[in-house]
Amino acid sequence: MPKMKTKSAAKKRFRLTGTGKVRANVAYKRHMLRNKPQKMKRQARGTFILCDADATIIKRNFLPYGR
């Protein structure tokens, strides 16, 4: 059976932590930032951990070797 390919878009958007959780960037921080509240911009810094249901989909379908 041939090797599975990792989705290139997923490589750019998701990373796995040491314990196997999926880390992603926070959305809504690219443009029109002056219209957004300071609290929203502050909380959108850095990354966050995906919920278990979404993480399962990402690991199974898009990052086959990132276990």
Side-chain angles (χ1 to χ4, degrees):
M1 188 168 173
K3 293 181 180 179
M4 295 176 65
K5 288 190 175 182
T6 299
K7 296 283 185 182
S8 294
K11 285 191 288 192
K12 299 167 190 171
R13 288 167 174 80
F14 304 109
R15 286 186 301 157
L16 291 181
T17 63
T19 57
K21 296 179 181 177
V22 180
R23 181 179 306 202
N25 291 318
V26 185
Y28 305 116
K29 59 178 185 180
R30 294 289 182 208
H31 56 33
M32 292 178 60
L33 293 177
R34 64 174 180 227
N35 298 338
K36 296 182 173 111
Q38 187 66 32
K39 180 179 179 182
M40 180 179 176
K41 292 185 280 190
R42 189 169 53 244
Q43 290 176 347
R45 286 185 200 141
T47 57
F48 74 105
I49 303 295
L50 289 182
C51 69
D52 292 337
D54 291 338
T56 303
I57 294 169
I58 295 297
K59 286 196 280 189
R60 183 182 299 152
N61 298 327
F62 300 121
L63 300 172
Y65 295 108
R67 296 183 195 257

